[in-house]
Amino acid sequence: MQLKSYLTHKNIFLFGLVLLAVGIPVSRFLVSVAQFVLLGNWVVEMNFAHKWSLLKRSRAFWAYTGIFLFYLAGLLWTQDFAYGWKDIRIKLPMLWLPLLFFTSSQLSKKEYHSVLHFFVGAVIVASGWSMIVYSGITKIPVRDIRDISRFESHIRFSLMIVLSILYLFFVLLKKETRFKFLYILALAWLTGFLILLQSFTGIVIAGLIGFTALSWILVSRNTIFLKLSFSVLVLGAAAYTFYLVSDEWKKFHTVKEEDLTQLPLWSPSGRGYFHDKTSKLTENGNLVWVYVQPEELKQEWDKRNWRPYDSLDYLGNQLKFTLIRYLASKGLTKDSVGVSKLDTNDLRNIENGFPNYMYARKGSLRSRIHEMIWEFDQVKLDQNPTGHSLAMRLEFWKTAWHIIKRNKLTGVGTGDVEIAFKEQYLADKTSLQARWQLRSHNQFFAVSVALGFVGLFLFLLSFFSPFLSRKKLSRFFVFFMLIQFFSFFNEDTLETQAGVTFCVFFTQFLFHHDEYNL
């Protein structure tokens, strides 16, 4: 009897929300179970006439779900219906989550914070597991530091971490908060883990949100000490960032002196060296295309390694070029002597696609900055962007823009996005390898390719509809919307079910409980 009295529709609704909040960072299975629980409870609850009356008079609901309905309409000018319906299924949270929140009763303040605490706890558990993987205990291979994000892509996980950090920060601002030490510990842990993860998107968004949040708070508080402390903190962080970038930029562009007129013609084994004296490509200040003896490289590499010299590395680049760059990064000659000086870790790094020994340093911010400078330099030289995130994104964006220019008004249709990209890559004669010929990695481009500028307008209307429906919204809600908005520039966040579920769930959850927000 007691169990029956507890199993109310509201309690099942709360249970489903907790499952969803926990599942988003750690388990797609839990997300599926949560969807079943929430939608099943909504149907069994019935009372459809009342729910329909709520929806009919809610402009905010129709404004928010309008973009999903336009994606549905986009099937009318689609050829590939299989892909189109797959995309519709991915974007279903844009419909069912608003439907749920606009027609369900509100949680109490305690219940609201419980859901958020469960979410933050799940993010901490996921980061803890990542650290176990990072330590090597599990024997799970970590070719790149971002591989430690085991449940979601490192970019989406970084957004969840930023939201968790934001929530913990606002909780700590409350005078009545108990166990502040635990919140500070959790905040420090997640901040450190975000830096270790080296997600450029997450770190930049965290910096922007942190700066905006602190500025907003300090403007509202007339405390000279806090304002002065904040100014010193911001200036110190900016100065340190500038120092890191400028120092790596200087090191990158400083070429070690080499008398190109006195380069030896023969290797110690008596084979002729190849010297490209016109190439300016360097690794850690060492010229790449000097002291190269291809026959010795192949012979010595194949003798020491199972992966053939003429094959591809893990990132899809030609292994021999990765090897040559790696040897240059260590200041070694590109011959049998140079390869013989590589240890087991070096060989593994080259297999995994690290062209510079610095890039294999897990958690090194300097190595990440160095890598981005190298990619920027390659973009300027119009080199092959394959395997380099910054250079590839520019290629994705260029391809997307070419598609948009030919389909300005209503795009190529919901189902023809993949076809359009394949055809455009061929038309542009891209140097990207086939496995890296991906979609736009920019949400605004993604919408415009599928639905044109009409769709982009409806998407922006949908995104900003909460601000249009209410005169005042909490800082916490505004900052979460900024997290999403900033991510759209560097990632097509809403093109995966995990991404769209995360964004839509927290948009609706925070919007419908905004008076509880911090």
Side-chain angles (χ1 to χ4, degrees):
M1 189 68 181
Q2 289 181 346
L3 179 62
K4 187 176 180 181
S5 64
Y6 182 76
L7 289 176
T8 63
H9 288 295
K10 183 176 179 181
N11 286 341
I12 296 172
F13 176 58
L14 174 62
F15 174 70
L17 294 181
V18 169
L19 269 185
L20 191 55
V22 171
I24 285 172
V26 300
S27 171
R28 294 181 184 181
F29 173 73
L30 279 183
V31 170
S32 299
V33 172
Q35 290 175 357
F36 177 78
V37 169
L38 289 167
L39 288 173
N41 180 62
W42 188 85
V43 171
V44 172
E45 189 181 31
M46 299 186 72
N47 203 11
F48 298 121
H50 175 65
K51 291 173 181 176
W52 175 242
S53 68
L54 291 174
L55 295 178
K56 278 197 302 184
R57 60 174 184 262
S58 174
R59 293 181 181 178
F61 171 78
W62 296 107
Y64 192 83
T65 56
I67 185 60
F68 174 81
L69 299 177
F70 198 59
Y71 269 110
L72 202 58
L75 292 173
L76 296 174
W77 55 95
T78 282
Q79 295 178 24
D80 189 346
F81 281 97
Y83 182 93
W85 282 115
K86 177 186 174 184
D87 196 50
I88 291 297
R89 287 196 300 272
I90 287 172
K91 292 181 170 64
L92 270 174
M94 289 181 172
L95 178 67
W96 74 264
L97 278 169
L99 182 71
L100 204 71
F101 278 103
F102 275 95
T103 58
S104 299
S105 56
Q106 197 176 45
L107 301 181
S108 68
K109 187 174 182 179
K110 182 180 178 181
E111 291 167 339
Y112 163 80
H113 284 290
S114 294
V115 173
L116 286 172
H117 275 73
F118 271 106
F119 170 73
V120 173
V123 170
I124 292 172
V125 168
S127 66
W129 176 247
S130 295
M131 289 302 294
I132 292 172
V133 171
Y134 175 71
S135 70
I137 295 173
T138 62
K139 305 300 181 183
I140 295 173
V142 179
R143 298 181 177 90
D144 186 291
I145 186 63
R146 288 159 284 190
D147 290 343
I148 67 174
S149 179
R150 305 306 302 173
F151 303 110
E152 285 297 338
S153 81
H154 71 285
I155 293 179
R156 282 194 296 274
F157 189 41
S158 71
L159 299 181
M160 298 174 197
I161 293 170
V162 174
L163 176 59
S164 300
I165 289 171
L166 184 67
Y167 178 67
L168 292 168
F169 173 75
F170 275 109
V171 168
L172 282 168
L173 288 179
K174 294 170 62 181
K175 292 181 180 178
E176 65 273 19
T177 299
R178 299 171 62 192
F179 309 113
K180 284 196 173 186
F181 174 73
L182 292 178
Y183 287 102
I184 292 171
L185 197 63
L187 185 64
W189 168 270
L190 290 177
T191 302
F193 181 80
L194 181 63
I195 294 170
L196 175 71
L197 192 59
Q198 290 186 28
S199 169
F200 177 76
T201 302
I203 291 172
V204 169
I205 290 175
L208 291 170
I209 295 297
F211 176 79
T212 308
L214 286 169
S215 300
W216 193 338
I217 291 165
L218 290 176
V219 166
S220 63
R221 297 190 179 187
N222 191 24
T223 308
I224 295 175
F225 175 74
L226 282 176
K227 291 179 179 179
L228 184 62
S229 300
F230 175 65
S231 301
V232 171
L233 179 66
V234 169
L235 288 173
Y240 180 65
T241 303
F242 177 78
Y243 165 74
L244 279 181
V245 174
S246 60
D247 190 50
E248 285 303 317
W249 182 275
K250 183 179 178 181
K251 287 179 181 177
F252 182 89
H253 290 96
T254 300
V255 181
K256 293 177 182 177
E257 290 187 13
E258 187 88 47
D259 188 351
L260 299 181
T261 63
Q262 298 296 321
L263 294 174
L265 298 177
W266 310 99
S267 73
S269 300
R271 289 175 173 168
Y273 271 134
F274 167 76
H275 301 293
D276 184 351
K277 299 178 183 180
T278 62
S279 174
K280 303 298 182 184
L281 186 64
T282 63
E283 291 292 344
N284 300 343
N286 301 303
L287 289 169
V288 172
W289 291 107
V290 294
Y291 297 100
V292 181
Q293 215 307 307
E295 291 83 2
E296 291 184 19
L297 282 174
K298 176 176 172 57
Q299 183 180 5
E300 190 67 22
W301 175 268
D302 287 343
K303 187 167 66 176
R304 297 191 60 191
N305 202 278
W306 67 271
R307 189 184 288 270
Y309 175 79
D310 291 314
S311 65
L312 302 178
D313 63 30
Y314 173 74
L315 293 179
N317 296 307
Q318 293 189 54
L319 188 143
K320 56 187 174 185
F321 294 141
T322 305
L323 170 61
I324 289 169
R325 286 181 56 197
Y326 194 94
L327 288 166
S329 76
K330 301 198 80 170
L332 299 173
T333 52
K334 299 85 182 178
D335 54 17
S336 58
V337 175
V339 177
S340 69
K341 292 180 179 179
L342 298 176
D343 60 26
T344 304
N345 286 332
D346 291 322
L347 298 178
R348 189 180 300 114
N349 291 338
I350 294 164
E351 287 176 17
N352 290 336
F354 293 114
N356 189 310
Y357 76 90
M358 287 176 58
Y359 301 168
R361 293 175 178 172
K362 298 174 184 177
S364 171
L365 196 56
R366 276 186 174 274
S367 66
R368 180 64 179 139
I369 293 170
H370 185 281
E371 186 177 2
M372 292 181 69
I373 293 172
W374 188 90
E375 290 184 23
F376 179 74
D377 206 55
Q378 293 305 289
V379 170
K380 288 197 302 179
L381 295 173
D382 199 26
Q383 298 295 308
N384 189 334
T386 295
H388 309 294
S389 58
L390 174 62
M392 289 197 302
R393 267 180 170 74
L394 294 175
E395 189 75 5
F396 301 155
W397 297 346
K398 182 182 76 174
T399 306
W401 179 243
H402 289 168
I403 298 170
I404 294 165
K405 283 197 297 183
R406 292 188 291 103
N407 304 272
K408 294 183 181 73
L409 193 61
T410 55
V412 300
T414 304
D416 291 352
V417 173
E418 194 169 69
I419 293 172
F421 269 97
K422 285 181 179 178
E423 291 176 349
Q424 194 62 51
Y425 279 124
L426 283 173
D428 290 346
K429 298 180 180 178
T430 181
S431 54
L432 271 176
Q433 292 177 8
R435 63 177 288 205
W436 295 110
Q437 292 177 15
L438 307 176
R439 294 183 300 181
S440 60
H441 278 62
N442 175 294
Q443 191 59 50
F444 305 112
F445 278 150
V447 174
S448 301
V449 167
L451 303 175
F453 290 138
V454 173
L456 181 62
F457 171 77
L458 289 174
F459 171 71
L460 292 173
L461 179 65
S462 170
F463 183 81
F464 289 109
S465 60
F467 299 94
L468 300 173
S469 61
R470 290 186 188 171
K471 292 182 179 179
K472 189 176 181 181
L473 289 163
S474 69
R475 292 174 297 187
F476 185 53
F477 178 80
V478 171
F479 289 137
F480 171 67
M481 296 300 281
L482 284 175
I483 291 172
Q484 289 185 75
F485 191 74
F486 290 147
S487 77
F488 292 162
F489 287 96
N490 198 46
E491 187 70 10
D492 42 9
T493 314
L494 305 180
E495 300 305 301
T496 63
Q497 195 151 45
V500 75
T501 302
F502 167 68
C503 290
V504 177
F505 170 68
F506 279 106
T507 298
Q508 294 301 317
F509 180 72
L510 299 179
F511 176 71
H512 285 275
H513 300 88
D514 194 55
E515 64 268 31
Y516 302 152
N517 286 335
L518 305 162

